[in-house]
Amino acid sequence: MQAEVKNVEKRGLAMKHFAHFLRHPLIRIFLAPLGFGIYGLIVGMYHTTEINWLALGYLYLILVSSQLIDHYFFVRFNTRKANASSPVILYAMEILLWAATVGFMWQHHWGANLLLLLYIAYTHIQHYPYNLTNSLYQLILNVFFQAFIVNNLAYFSQTGTITTGFLISLLPLAALQLAFQAEGNSLVSQLTGHPSVMPHGLKTSLVLILSLVAVAAGTYLSFPSKSYFMLQLLFIAGSVLTLAPLLVQTRQHNQSQNKLNYLSTSYLLISILYGLAFCF
């Protein structure tokens, strides 16, 4: 009996350390942005004969720098810490962003380049001149760009084409992104005082339903399995374990910020698991 209790305590401690790792600020800065395109990269690399590492590097730099720029504008226009971030960081990230963008555009079709420019433009204008923070418009546009556009750019960077099957496979990620945006909307409301798009009770139910739909749809679309269902089971188990902490309610400022960090990183993890399950 005591051995069982100790095993439960060890598993609980391991989960606590894992959750702490996922919400670490450095993980959110340098790894979480890749979550917007990691699924497209995994599937694209699976379907190509030669991996375009240069395009992958450009895309990574674009995502990291654009998210840091987005965070700068969020702090500048939505919090009481308007002077907390140095403009030097903004200028450095702008240089990095546009250098990587030119490199990416030099390699790719004008259609993909146009989508990339739309993503960059949205990153810059969602907080100024008209602040979309915590609005229904921002929620919808974030799902559109972060679930569809960036993954399409990532897939196209490896394969040079976009297929109907790939577009359909993005639907589970869109449902998951919508769930995470709804949760993030509530957390940002706690951090900044901006009104939330939906009541708390409706938000909790919506997040739970959309998360379950995303996992179920992702599992269905990953069939037939090439790994004797091992990766499909890993996707289901990993998603459930990663999503479980989202049920914990936050009331303090630092708890809300930690949960916001956790959202970004957990989306990356689930996208990786889904990409592997879909390919294998």
Side-chain angles (χ1 to χ4, degrees), residues 39 168-176 210-240 243 270-280:
Y39 173 76
I168 293 174
S169 75
L170 293 177
L171 294 178
L173 290 179
L176 185 65
L210 285 173
S211 298
L212 293 175
V213 168
V215 175
T219 304
Y220 174 77
L221 290 174
S222 66
F223 291 147
S225 174
K226 302 179 186 69
S227 59
Y228 301 98
F229 304 105
M230 292 180 61
L231 286 173
Q232 284 70 29
L233 292 173
L234 180 62
F235 167 60
I236 295 171
S239 297
V240 171
L243 291 168
I270 294 174
S271 295
I272 292 174
L273 293 175
Y274 176 44
L276 294 175
F278 185 82
C279 292
F280 302 100

Coordinates of all heavy atoms in Angstrom, one line a residue, residues 39 168-176 210-240 243 270-280:
Y39 N 3.7 21.4 -37.2 CA 2.9 20.3 -37.8 C 3.2 20.4 -39.3 O 3.5 19.3 -39.9 CB 1.5 20.5 -37.5 CG 0.6 19.5 -38.3 CD1 0.6 18.2 -37.9 CD2 -0.1 19.9 -39.4 CE1 -0.2 17.3 -38.7 CE2 -0.9 19.0 -40.1 CZ -0.9 17.7 -39.8 OH -1.7 16.8 -40.5
I168 N -7.3 19.7 -44.9 CA -8.3 19.0 -44.0 C -7.6 18.6 -42.7 O -8.2 18.7 -41.6 CB -8.9 17.8 -44.7 CG1 -9.7 18.2 -45.9 CG2 -9.7 16.9 -43.8 CD1 -10.3 17.1 -46.8
S169 N -6.4 18.1 -42.8 CA -5.7 17.7 -41.6 C -5.4 18.8 -40.6 O -5.1 18.5 -39.4 CB -4.4 17.0 -42.0 OG -3.4 17.9 -42.3
L170 N -5.6 20.1 -41.0 CA -5.4 21.2 -40.1 C -6.6 21.5 -39.2 O -6.5 22.3 -38.3 CB -5.0 22.5 -40.9 CG -3.7 22.5 -41.7 CD1 -3.5 23.7 -42.5 CD2 -2.5 22.3 -40.7
L171 N -7.7 20.9 -39.5 CA -8.9 21.2 -38.8 C -8.8 20.9 -37.3 O -9.3 21.7 -36.5 CB -10.1 20.5 -39.4 CG -10.5 20.9 -40.8 CD1 -11.7 20.1 -41.4 CD2 -10.9 22.4 -40.8
P172 N -8.2 19.7 -36.9 CA -8.0 19.5 -35.5 C -7.2 20.5 -34.8 O -7.5 20.9 -33.6 CB -7.4 18.1 -35.4 CG -7.8 17.4 -36.7 CD -7.8 18.5 -37.7
L173 N -6.2 21.0 -35.5 CA -5.3 22.1 -34.9 C -6.1 23.4 -34.8 O -5.9 24.2 -33.8 CB -4.1 22.3 -35.7 CG -3.1 21.1 -35.7 CD1 -1.9 21.5 -36.6 CD2 -2.6 20.9 -34.3
A174 N -7.0 23.6 -35.7 CA -7.8 24.8 -35.7 C -8.8 24.8 -34.5 O -8.9 25.8 -33.7 CB -8.6 25.0 -37.0
A175 N -9.3 23.6 -34.2 CA -10.2 23.4 -33.0 C -9.4 23.6 -31.8 O -9.9 24.3 -30.8 CB -10.9 22.1 -33.1
L176 N -8.2 23.0 -31.7 CA -7.4 23.2 -30.5 C -6.9 24.6 -30.3 O -6.9 25.1 -29.2 CB -6.1 22.3 -30.7 CG -5.2 22.2 -29.5 CD1 -5.9 21.6 -28.3 CD2 -3.9 21.4 -29.8
L210 N -13.9 21.6 -27.3 CA -13.0 21.8 -28.4 C -11.8 20.9 -28.3 O -11.3 20.4 -29.3 CB -12.7 23.3 -28.6 CG -13.8 24.2 -29.2 CD1 -13.3 25.6 -29.2 CD2 -14.1 23.8 -30.6
S211 N -11.2 20.8 -27.1 CA -10.0 20.0 -26.9 C -10.3 18.6 -27.2 O -9.5 17.9 -27.9 CB -9.5 20.2 -25.5 OG -9.1 21.6 -25.2
L212 N -11.4 18.1 -26.7 CA -11.8 16.7 -26.9 C -12.0 16.4 -28.4 O -11.6 15.4 -29.0 CB -13.0 16.3 -26.1 CG -12.8 16.3 -24.6 CD1 -14.1 16.0 -23.9 CD2 -11.8 15.2 -24.2
V213 N -12.7 17.4 -29.1 CA -13.0 17.3 -30.5 C -11.7 17.2 -31.3 O -11.5 16.5 -32.3 CB -13.9 18.4 -31.0 CG1 -13.9 18.5 -32.5 CG2 -15.3 18.2 -30.5
A214 N -10.7 18.1 -30.9 CA -9.4 18.2 -31.6 C -8.7 16.9 -31.5 O -8.1 16.4 -32.5 CB -8.6 19.3 -31.0
V215 N -8.6 16.3 -30.3 CA -7.9 15.0 -30.1 C -8.6 13.9 -30.9 O -8.0 13.1 -31.5 CB -7.8 14.7 -28.6 CG1 -7.2 13.3 -28.4 CG2 -7.0 15.7 -27.9
A216 N -10.0 13.8 -30.8 CA -10.7 12.8 -31.5 C -10.5 12.9 -33.0 O -10.3 11.9 -33.7 CB -12.2 12.8 -31.1
A217 N -10.7 14.1 -33.5 CA -10.6 14.3 -35.0 C -9.1 14.0 -35.5 O -8.9 13.5 -36.5 CB -11.0 15.7 -35.3
G218 N -8.1 14.5 -34.7 CA -6.8 14.2 -35.0 C -6.4 12.7 -35.1 O -5.7 12.3 -36.0
T219 N -7.0 12.0 -34.1 CA -6.8 10.5 -34.1 C -7.4 9.9 -35.3 O -6.8 9.0 -36.0 CB -7.4 9.9 -32.8 OG1 -6.8 10.6 -31.7 CG2 -7.2 8.4 -32.8
Y220 N -8.6 10.3 -35.7 CA -9.3 9.7 -36.8 C -8.6 10.0 -38.1 O -8.4 9.1 -39.0 CB -10.8 10.3 -36.9 CG -11.5 9.9 -38.1 CD1 -12.1 8.7 -38.2 CD2 -11.6 10.8 -39.2 CE1 -12.8 8.3 -39.4 CE2 -12.3 10.5 -40.3 CZ -12.9 9.2 -40.4 OH -13.6 8.9 -41.6
L221 N -8.1 11.3 -38.3 CA -7.4 11.7 -39.5 C -6.0 11.0 -39.6 O -5.5 11.0 -40.7 CB -7.3 13.2 -39.6 CG -8.6 14.0 -39.8 CD1 -8.4 15.5 -39.7 CD2 -9.2 13.6 -41.2
S222 N -5.5 10.5 -38.5 CA -4.2 9.9 -38.6 C -4.2 8.4 -39.0 O -3.2 7.8 -39.2 CB -3.5 10.0 -37.2 OG -4.2 9.2 -36.2
F223 N -5.4 7.9 -39.2 CA -5.6 6.5 -39.7 C -5.5 6.5 -41.2 O -5.8 7.5 -41.8 CB -6.9 5.9 -39.2 CG -7.0 5.7 -37.7 CD1 -8.3 5.8 -37.1 CD2 -5.9 5.4 -37.0 CE1 -8.4 5.6 -35.7 CE2 -6.0 5.1 -35.6 CZ -7.3 5.3 -35.0
P224 N -5.0 5.4 -41.8 CA -4.5 4.2 -41.2 C -3.1 4.4 -40.6 O -2.3 5.1 -41.0 CB -4.5 3.2 -42.3 CG -4.2 4.1 -43.5 CD -5.0 5.4 -43.3
S225 N -2.9 3.6 -39.5 CA -1.6 3.8 -38.8 C -0.5 2.9 -39.4 O -0.8 1.9 -39.9 CB -1.8 3.3 -37.3 OG -0.6 3.3 -36.6
K226 N 0.7 3.5 -39.4 CA 1.9 2.8 -39.9 C 2.8 2.3 -38.8 O 3.9 1.8 -39.0 CB 2.6 3.7 -40.9 CG 1.8 4.2 -42.0 CD 2.7 5.1 -42.9 CE 1.9 5.7 -44.0 NZ 0.9 6.7 -43.5
S227 N 2.3 2.6 -37.5 CA 3.2 2.2 -36.4 C 2.4 1.3 -35.4 O 2.7 1.4 -34.2 CB 3.6 3.5 -35.6 OG 2.4 4.2 -35.2
Y228 N 1.5 0.5 -35.9 CA 0.7 -0.4 -35.1 C 0.0 0.4 -34.0 O -0.1 -0.1 -32.8 CB 1.6 -1.5 -34.5 CG 2.3 -2.3 -35.5 CD1 3.6 -2.1 -35.9 CD2 1.6 -3.3 -36.2 CE1 4.2 -2.8 -36.8 CE2 2.2 -4.1 -37.1 CZ 3.5 -3.9 -37.5 OH 4.2 -4.6 -38.4
F229 N -0.5 1.6 -34.3 CA -1.3 2.5 -33.4 C -0.5 3.0 -32.2 O -1.0 3.7 -31.4 CB -2.5 1.8 -32.9 CG -3.4 1.2 -34.0 CD1 -3.4 -0.1 -34.3 CD2 -4.2 2.1 -34.8 CE1 -4.2 -0.6 -35.3 CE2 -5.0 1.6 -35.8 CZ -5.0 0.3 -36.1
M230 N 0.8 2.8 -32.2 CA 1.6 3.3 -31.1 C 1.7 4.8 -31.0 O 1.5 5.4 -29.9 CB 3.0 2.7 -31.2 CG 3.1 1.2 -30.9 SD 4.8 0.6 -31.1 CE 5.6 1.5 -29.7
L231 N 1.9 5.4 -32.2 CA 2.0 6.9 -32.2 C 0.6 7.5 -32.0 O 0.5 8.6 -31.4 CB 2.6 7.4 -33.5 CG 4.1 7.1 -33.5 CD1 4.7 7.5 -34.9 CD2 4.8 8.0 -32.4
Q232 N -0.5 6.8 -32.4 CA -1.8 7.3 -32.2 C -2.2 7.3 -30.7 O -2.7 8.3 -30.2 CB -2.9 6.5 -33.0 CG -2.9 6.8 -34.5 CD -1.7 6.3 -35.2 OE1 -1.0 5.4 -34.8 NE2 -1.4 7.0 -36.3
L233 N -1.8 6.2 -30.0 CA -2.0 6.1 -28.6 C -1.1 7.2 -27.8 O -1.6 7.7 -26.8 CB -1.7 4.7 -28.1 CG -2.6 3.6 -28.6 CD1 -2.1 2.2 -28.2 CD2 -4.0 3.8 -28.0
L234 N 0.1 7.4 -28.3 CA 1.0 8.4 -27.7 C 0.4 9.8 -27.9 O 0.4 10.6 -27.0 CB 2.3 8.3 -28.4 CG 3.4 9.3 -27.8 CD1 3.6 9.1 -26.3 CD2 4.7 9.3 -28.6
F235 N -0.2 10.0 -29.0 CA -0.9 11.3 -29.3 C -2.0 11.5 -28.3 O -2.2 12.6 -27.7 CB -1.4 11.4 -30.7 CG -2.3 12.5 -31.0 CD1 -1.9 13.8 -30.8 CD2 -3.6 12.2 -31.5 CE1 -2.8 14.9 -31.1 CE2 -4.5 13.3 -31.8 CZ -4.1 14.6 -31.6
I236 N -2.9 10.5 -28.2 CA -4.0 10.6 -27.3 C -3.6 10.8 -25.8 O -4.0 11.7 -25.1 CB -4.9 9.4 -27.4 CG1 -5.5 9.3 -28.8 CG2 -6.0 9.4 -26.3 CD1 -6.2 8.0 -29.0
A237 N -2.7 9.9 -25.4 CA -2.2 10.0 -24.0 C -1.5 11.3 -23.7 O -1.7 12.0 -22.7 CB -1.3 8.8 -23.6
G238 N -0.6 11.7 -24.6 CA 0.2 12.9 -24.4 C -0.7 14.2 -24.4 O -0.5 15.1 -23.7
S239 N -1.7 14.2 -25.3 CA -2.6 15.3 -25.4 C -3.4 15.4 -24.1 O -3.6 16.5 -23.5 CB -3.6 15.2 -26.6 OG -2.8 15.2 -27.8
V240 N -4.0 14.3 -23.6 CA -4.8 14.3 -22.4 C -4.0 14.8 -21.2 O -4.4 15.7 -20.4 CB -5.4 12.9 -22.1 CG1 -6.0 12.9 -20.7 CG2 -6.4 12.6 -23.2
L243 N -3.2 18.5 -21.6 CA -4.4 19.4 -21.5 C -5.0 19.4 -20.1 O -5.6 20.4 -19.7 CB -5.5 18.9 -22.4 CG -5.2 19.1 -23.9 CD1 -6.2 18.3 -24.8 CD2 -5.2 20.6 -24.3
I270 N 1.6 19.2 -28.5 CA 0.5 18.5 -29.1 C 0.6 18.5 -30.6 O 0.3 17.5 -31.2 CB -0.9 19.1 -28.6 CG1 -1.1 18.8 -27.1 CG2 -2.0 18.4 -29.4 CD1 -2.3 19.5 -26.5
S271 N 1.0 19.6 -31.2 CA 1.2 19.6 -32.6 C 2.3 18.6 -33.1 O 2.1 18.0 -34.1 CB 1.6 21.0 -33.0 OG 0.6 22.0 -32.8
I272 N 3.4 18.5 -32.3 CA 4.4 17.5 -32.6 C 3.8 16.1 -32.6 O 4.0 15.3 -33.5 CB 5.6 17.6 -31.7 CG1 6.3 19.0 -31.9 CG2 6.6 16.5 -31.9 CD1 7.4 19.3 -30.9
L273 N 3.1 15.8 -31.5 CA 2.5 14.5 -31.4 C 1.5 14.2 -32.5 O 1.5 13.1 -33.1 CB 1.8 14.3 -30.0 CG 2.7 14.4 -28.8 CD1 1.9 14.4 -27.5 CD2 3.7 13.2 -28.8
Y274 N 0.7 15.2 -32.9 CA -0.2 15.0 -34.0 C 0.5 14.8 -35.3 O 0.1 13.9 -36.1 CB -1.2 16.2 -34.0 CG -2.2 16.1 -35.2 CD1 -2.9 15.0 -35.5 CD2 -2.4 17.3 -36.0 CE1 -3.8 14.9 -36.6 CE2 -3.3 17.2 -37.0 CZ -4.0 16.1 -37.3 OH -4.9 16.0 -38.4
G275 N 1.5 15.6 -35.5 CA 2.3 15.4 -36.8 C 2.9 14.0 -36.9 O 2.9 13.4 -38.0
L276 N 3.5 13.5 -35.8 CA 4.0 12.2 -35.9 C 3.0 11.1 -36.1 O 3.2 10.1 -36.8 CB 4.8 11.9 -34.6 CG 6.0 12.8 -34.4 CD1 6.6 12.5 -33.0 CD2 7.1 12.5 -35.4
A277 N 1.8 11.3 -35.4 CA 0.7 10.3 -35.5 C 0.2 10.3 -37.0 O -0.2 9.3 -37.5 CB -0.4 10.6 -34.5
F278 N 0.1 11.5 -37.5 CA -0.5 11.7 -38.9 C 0.4 11.0 -39.9 O 0.0 10.4 -40.9 CB -0.7 13.1 -39.2 CG -1.4 13.4 -40.5 CD1 -2.7 13.3 -40.6 CD2 -0.6 13.7 -41.7 CE1 -3.4 13.5 -41.9 CE2 -1.2 13.9 -42.9 CZ -2.6 13.8 -43.0
C279 N 1.7 11.1 -39.7 CA 2.7 10.6 -40.7 C 2.9 9.1 -40.5 O 3.2 8.4 -41.5 CB 4.0 11.3 -40.6 SG 4.0 13.1 -41.1
F280 N 2.9 8.6 -39.3 CA 3.2 7.2 -39.0 C 2.1 6.5 -38.3 O 2.3 5.3 -38.0 CB 4.5 7.2 -38.1 CG 5.7 7.9 -38.7 CD1 6.0 9.2 -38.3 CD2 6.4 7.3 -39.7 CE1 7.1 9.9 -38.9 CE2 7.5 8.0 -40.3 CZ 7.8 9.2 -39.8

